[in-house]
Amino acid sequence: MKQKFPFSKDIDLAFKNDPPGLWMSAVPKGCIRLNSGYPEPALVPSKGIKEAVGRLLDEEQDLPLHYIGSPRIPALKKFIQQRMLKREAEISEEELLVTSGACQAIDLISRILLDGEAVVAIESPTYMEALEVFRNYTEHFMSVPTDANGLDTGRFEQMLADRKEQGRTLPRVLYTIPTFQNPTGTTMTPERREHVLKLAEQYDFLILEDDAYGELGFEEKPRLLKAMDANNRVLYVGSLSKVVAPGMRIGWVAGAEKLVTAMKWFKKDLDHPFAQATMASYIEGIDFDGHIKELTDAYRRKSSTMIAALKKFLPPTVSWYVPEGGYFVWVNVPGADTAKMLPQAYAAGVAYVPGRYFFLNQEEGTEFLRLSFSYANEQQIVKGIELLGQVIAANVEQKVE
Amino acid sequence: MKQKFPFSKDIDLAFKNDPPGLWMSAVPKGCIRLNSGYPEPALVPSKGIKEAVGRLLDEEQDLPLHYIGSPRIPALKKFIQQRMLKREAEISEEELLVTSGACQAIDLISRILLDGEAVVAIESPTYMEALEVFRNYTEHFMSVPTDANGLDTGRFEQMLADRKEQGRTLPRVLYTIPTFQNPTGTTMTPERREHVLKLAEQYDFLILEDDAYGELGFEEKPRLLKAMDANNRVLYVGSLSKVVAPGMRIGWVAGAEKLVTAMKWFKKDLDHPFAQATMASYIEGIDFDGHIKELTDAYRRKSSTMIAALKKFLPPTVSWYVPEGGYFVWVNVPGADTAKMLPQAYAAGVAYVPGRYFFLNQEEGTEFLRLSFSYANEQQIVKGIELLGQVIAANVEQKVE
């Protein structure tokens, strides 16, 4: 069969990266999944969702199954506004767009802000799926170092100043996960938050604040960049994936009305009335603060378990950041090649994500790996870290101490 | 608050058209909705969906609520492949992508095929929401006339030849709804189907075959362009919106593997595991052919009722195409301005869609309107047409006969 197409250029462009997710599905059955950034199965409210669908369809019959959707959907918007207000960000209805998960929000933001000339500043390391979305729009990135306190705004300022002096294109947008970051689990300090907002004003860029984990603080929830955003430069992206269920795909973007209106344009018929109505019905049936407390209690405990196991089972050269929320522990294994080590870990019965997948320049991630304490249970976490300790010990030259 | 953005060009671009749907929500309460392209409420299986969700979550618990989703999802793909095979189109798994409704499919196709230089050939009139999606990518269209037998391929050939002779850009893709078209309800003849496929080969364009209504033939289902597509030039877009529930947003695209793979790229995390799993669960619980028969029996009856009412109540100058399937009747009202007439129809208690919304050059639609027999019940249809007849009579100069 002939396969001649006139548009080879565009199509080749779309193939420029490896398909994401492919390497993640390779985890052998039976492996302890310290790789998965999924909520713990027992914490996904499948019963609550079932009841929510029952209530919704009993009360509204076909309504939520049409395009226009359920009269409950406005309640979902109001709920999101209230959650944000609780965190000191007042968002009007016009400044809010409900999306099919955070990824659609990031995609819509990219659509309206990016073209092939645009430069996106990203954290190094960063959330790889977001990076893949940006790469559909531009190949120009500015990779900004992070440390235990999140984005290194001092280095960022220097990089911006250098770029300006050299006459190079300044970033159009900074993509940051300031709170309980993926993959590092770190959180930006209040001082750095102030600093990065100042830089946005000074160097005229927007900030995409990805707050997927923001509700999951073990002790406190840091102040949102969006709550400090006097000049309306922050596009806040939220999600119920980590706190209710990822498969429901409910996220949102909150930002300047002009930008959000432009996004609504592209979103158009890509809405999901049934999913949104189901979520609205689920939320009305529960005490959401109580639900969040249940989650943070569980994840705090699991995080502590993982940190204790790391101390117990990992060689002393290995180090990590202790998270104050979220799902992840970022581990540095000096001397290792964590991508090459992965098949051994699989064989031993434990899965993690090699650090390279979180870097624009993948080499920088060679000695790092991401662990997640969200999906596995505590017993699995301890066993998994023990197995990981053995694999690392076999891979890294140990100093005898 | 300062509202300064560095990207005014891109954002202004996004505002180039009126937001779609706005004018549709203006229908006053209590109006008989002959405007709505929705399935009849009684034919939307809300009980079946509720049971499907119950079965799904009882059996799989949290699985369908994660990103990866339910083990049932492959069954949805297989089901789609079987439906297409029944209509003589053999589609491999690699050639199939499940989307969030037909609109996401059209958007993904646009993303990989269109740039600002691309020309899209469209039927005149055509499905306005598709036109809006294309307009996010290009401003260049070629509007091809239609008649009672769908796309006028003879005129199309002449237009293509003229363009070629004049050295103008040829279309990159033709967007067509060959079967039970929206808004006209017409169906392309087999001869024209052969012809348009030949033209695609000769003038090197692809065909986007939108088959949203294809399952809803009152007597027979015409052969798909995709089933006649020897050179793999057809990108077929299907949907369960019209035959199950629009709010579930389950559609798909079937086409050349290379193109579908490129689309998978852009789709990435825009999947809807819960919606797909729910649909898979719904389908496994029913006799789908029986379900389709129930729908076509109902819509055949409602279509006949509408046509009979049109004959009875409309002035003799008014004419229409008699549909053989689908949801719509396309009505020509010589001497009327159907957009200006709409407030009177609303006041009388009946809603339709003015023809202008289906044309690139809206003026061409002045004397047309679209009626739908899908949403209203038979009693409402008769009453609605009676009211419409009165409004038209009051608007159009009548010849005394």
Side-chain angles (χ1 to χ4, degrees):
Chain A
M1 204 181 277
K2 192 165 61 161
Q3 290 256 3
K4 176 171 70 84
F5 298 110
F7 330 114
S8 55
K9 185 179 146 277
D10 295 343
I11 292 159
D12 288 345
L13 248 178
F15 284 115
K16 60 188 177 272
N17 303 310
D18 288 337
L22 274 194
W23 50 273
M24 289 193 71
S25 59
V27 177
K29 265 203 157 175
C31 251
I32 295 173
R33 298 182 70 101
L34 304 184
N35 62 316
S36 295
Y38 300 161
E40 174 163 344
L43 296 174
V44 172
S46 53
K47 268 191 192 165
I49 301 270
K50 184 186 156 185
E51 285 163 15
V53 170
R55 185 166 55 237
L56 178 71
L57 293 178
D58 285 347
E59 289 175 18
E60 301 187 7
Q61 284 92 44
D62 60 300
L63 275 185
L65 298 170
H66 286 286
Y67 293 113
I68 288 176
S70 151
R72 274 179 165 87
I73 290 177
L76 176 62
K77 279 197 155 181
K78 198 159 274 178
F79 164 82
I80 291 169
Q81 287 171 297
Q82 284 164 350
R83 292 309 296 178
M84 293 202 63
L85 194 58
K86 245 187 158 160
R87 300 178 68 197
E88 296 171 53
E90 190 175 348
I91 306 297
S92 74
E93 208 187 314
E94 291 69 30
E95 292 170 322
L96 176 66
L97 175 66
V98 178
T99 58
S100 287
C103 272
Q104 191 187 40
I106 295 169
D107 186 59
L108 288 168
I109 290 169
S110 301
R111 278 208 189 192
I112 65 157
L113 294 184
L114 304 182
D115 54 36
E117 306 304 310
V119 174
V120 179
I122 55 171
E123 295 172 331
S124 177
T126 190
Y127 173 46
M128 61 218 151
E129 305 281 343
L131 190 56
E132 291 302 328
V133 173
F134 296 136
R135 275 183 157 160
N136 286 333
Y137 299 89
T138 182
E139 276 302 302
H140 306 295
F141 293 95
M142 184 179 163
S143 196
V144 186
T146 62
D147 60 22
N149 294 316
L151 186 79
D152 186 337
T153 54
R155 293 278 298 276
F156 188 29
E157 179 164 23
Q158 193 54 58
M159 289 168 79
L160 290 165
D162 289 350
R163 273 194 173 246
K164 194 168 184 181
E165 203 185 288
Q166 294 157 12
R168 296 174 66 196
T169 311
L170 288 166
R172 199 170 281 190
V173 61
L174 163 70
Y175 173 70
T176 175
I177 309 170
T179 307
F180 319 135
Q181 204 238 18
N182 181 3
T184 63
T186 58
T187 294
M188 269 173 92
T189 58
E191 295 72 26
R192 288 193 178 180
R193 288 177 194 241
E194 294 282 6
H195 192 191
V196 79
L197 285 163
K198 252 185 224 153
L199 293 176
E201 199 57 18
Q202 190 180 343
Y203 289 95
D204 197 20
F205 57 85
L206 299 181
I207 298 175
L208 197 174
E209 177 181 27
D210 182 343
D211 191 46
Y213 305 92
E215 291 268 18
L216 295 176
F218 302 151
E219 304 308 327
E220 55 179 307
K221 298 173 188 173
R223 193 150 181 234
L224 301 179
L225 287 173
K226 187 68 199 162
M228 306 160 71
D229 177 28
N231 297 310
N232 222 352
R233 289 198 167 263
V234 176
L235 283 159
Y236 174 96
V237 171
S239 164
L240 295 177
S241 290
K242 309 301 174 185
V243 293
V244 182
M248 296 295 298
R249 314 305 295 129
I250 302 290
W252 67 91
V253 53
E257 182 178 339
K258 185 177 179 181
L259 297 171
V260 170
T261 306
M263 282 178 238
K264 285 179 183 171
W265 250 104
F266 279 98
K267 187 156 189 295
K268 279 178 186 176
D269 297 289
L270 304 178
D271 243 336
H272 245 286
F274 181 64
Q276 290 183 20
T278 297
M279 188 59 89
S281 172
Y282 168 71
I283 280 162
E284 78 187 22
I286 65 159
D287 161 21
F288 202 81
D289 281 323
H291 171 71
I292 293 291
K293 186 173 182 316
E294 188 191 338
L295 296 183
T296 48
D297 283 351
Y299 291 130
R300 185 193 305 108
R301 203 166 52 237
K302 295 172 75 172
S303 170
S304 300
T305 300
M306 181 173 275
I307 296 296
L310 285 168
K311 283 182 189 158
K312 184 168 173 192
F313 295 116
L314 263 66
T317 52
V318 175
S319 62
W320 51 85
Y321 296 139
V322 177
E324 290 165 356
Y327 277 10
F328 305 114
V329 179
W330 184 242
V331 180
N332 179 218
V333 190
D337 181 333
T338 58
K340 281 193 184 151
M341 194 174 77
L342 188 60
Q344 299 164 49
Y346 282 174
V350 63
Y352 61 81
V353 182
R356 59 186 286 111
Y357 293 107
F358 303 97
F359 289 89
L360 189 66
N361 171 18
Q362 299 197 328
E363 300 303 307
E364 293 175 42
T366 306
E367 297 187 341
F368 292 89
L369 58 86
R370 189 194 77 179
L371 297 174
S372 170
F373 50 81
S374 61
Y375 186 77
N377 65 36
E378 287 184 79
Q379 203 182 345
Q380 290 171 323
I381 288 171
V382 175
K383 183 67 191 166
I385 298 296
E386 184 180 358
L387 295 171
L388 181 66
Q390 294 164 4
V391 173
I392 289 177
N395 264 267
V396 183
E397 288 180 9
Q398 299 299 316
K399 298 178 202 162
V400 181
E401 291 185 292
Chain B
M1 204 181 280
K2 192 165 61 161
Q3 290 257 2
K4 176 171 71 85
F5 299 108
F7 330 113
S8 56
K9 186 177 146 277
D10 293 342
I11 293 159
D12 288 345
L13 249 178
F15 283 115
K16 60 188 177 267
N17 304 310
D18 287 338
L22 274 194
W23 50 274
M24 288 192 71
S25 59
V27 178
K29 265 203 157 175
C31 251
I32 295 173
R33 298 183 70 98
L34 304 183
N35 62 317
S36 295
Y38 299 161
E40 175 163 343
L43 296 174
V44 172
S46 54
K47 268 191 191 163
I49 300 272
K50 184 187 157 186
E51 284 163 17
V53 170
R55 186 165 55 236
L56 178 72
L57 293 177
D58 284 347
E59 288 175 19
E60 301 187 7
Q61 283 92 46
D62 60 300
L63 274 185
L65 298 171
H66 286 288
Y67 294 112
I68 288 177
S70 152
R72 275 178 163 88
I73 290 176
L76 177 63
K77 278 197 158 182
K78 197 159 277 177
F79 165 82
I80 291 169
Q81 286 172 297
Q82 284 165 350
R83 292 308 297 179
M84 293 201 65
L85 195 59
K86 245 189 158 161
R87 301 178 67 195
E88 297 170 53
E90 192 174 347
I91 306 297
S92 74
E93 209 187 315
E94 290 70 31
E95 293 170 321
L96 177 65
L97 175 65
V98 178
T99 58
S100 287
C103 271
Q104 192 188 40
I106 295 170
D107 186 58
L108 287 167
I109 291 168
S110 301
R111 278 208 190 192
I112 65 158
L113 294 183
L114 304 183
D115 54 35
E117 306 304 310
V119 174
V120 180
I122 55 171
E123 295 172 331
S124 176
T126 190
Y127 173 46
M128 60 217 151
E129 304 282 343
L131 190 56
E132 290 303 327
V133 174
F134 297 136
R135 276 183 156 159
N136 285 332
Y137 299 90
T138 182
E139 276 300 304
H140 307 295
F141 294 94
M142 184 178 163
S143 196
V144 186
T146 62
D147 60 22
N149 295 315
L151 186 79
D152 187 337
T153 54
R155 293 279 299 276
F156 188 28
E157 180 165 23
Q158 192 54 57
M159 289 167 78
L160 290 165
D162 289 350
R163 271 193 175 248
K164 195 170 183 179
E165 205 185 287
Q166 294 158 11
R168 295 173 67 195
T169 311
L170 288 165
R172 199 170 278 190
V173 61
L174 163 70
Y175 172 71
T176 175
I177 310 170
T179 307
F180 318 136
Q181 203 238 19
N182 182 6
T184 64
T186 58
T187 295
M188 268 174 91
T189 58
E191 296 71 27
R192 288 193 178 180
R193 289 177 193 241
E194 295 283 7
H195 192 190
V196 80
L197 285 163
K198 252 186 225 154
L199 293 176
E201 200 57 17
Q202 189 180 342
Y203 289 95
D204 197 20
F205 57 85
L206 299 182
I207 297 175
L208 198 175
E209 177 181 27
D210 182 343
D211 191 46
Y213 305 92
E215 291 269 18
L216 295 176
F218 301 151
E219 304 307 329
E220 55 179 308
K221 297 172 189 175
R223 196 152 177 232
L224 301 179
L225 287 173
K226 187 69 199 161
M228 306 161 71
D229 177 28
N231 298 309
N232 222 352
R233 288 197 168 265
V234 176
L235 283 159
Y236 174 95
V237 171
S239 163
L240 295 178
S241 290
K242 308 301 174 186
V243 294
V244 182
M248 296 295 296
R249 314 304 297 130
I250 301 291
W252 67 92
V253 53
E257 183 178 338
K258 185 176 180 184
L259 297 171
V260 169
T261 306
M263 281 177 238
K264 284 178 184 170
W265 250 105
F266 279 98
K267 189 157 189 293
K268 279 177 186 177
D269 296 290
L270 305 178
D271 244 336
H272 244 284
F274 180 65
Q276 291 183 20
T278 296
M279 188 59 88
S281 172
Y282 168 71
I283 280 161
E284 78 187 24
I286 64 158
D287 161 21
F288 202 80
D289 281 324
H291 172 71
I292 293 290
K293 188 174 178 314
E294 188 190 336
L295 295 183
T296 49
D297 283 351
Y299 290 130
R300 186 192 304 108
R301 203 166 52 237
K302 295 172 76 173
S303 170
S304 300
T305 300
M306 181 174 276
I307 297 295
L310 287 168
K311 282 180 189 159
K312 184 168 171 191
F313 293 117
L314 263 65
T317 52
V318 176
S319 62
W320 51 85
Y321 296 139
V322 177
E324 290 166 355
Y327 276 9
F328 306 114
V329 179
W330 183 242
V331 180
N332 178 219
V333 190
D337 181 333
T338 58
K340 281 195 185 149
M341 194 174 77
L342 188 61
Q344 297 165 48
Y346 282 174
V350 62
Y352 61 82
V353 182
R356 57 185 288 112
Y357 293 107
F358 303 97
F359 289 88
L360 189 66
N361 170 17
Q362 301 199 326
E363 300 303 306
E364 294 175 39
T366 305
E367 297 187 343
F368 293 89
L369 59 86
R370 188 193 77 179
L371 296 174
S372 169
F373 49 81
S374 62
Y375 186 76
N377 64 36
E378 287 183 78
Q379 203 182 344
Q380 291 172 323
I381 288 171
V382 175
K383 183 67 190 169
I385 298 296
E386 185 180 356
L387 296 172
L388 180 65
Q390 294 164 3
V391 173
I392 289 176
N395 265 269
V396 183
E397 288 178 10
Q398 299 298 317
K399 300 178 202 162
V400 182
E401 291 185 290

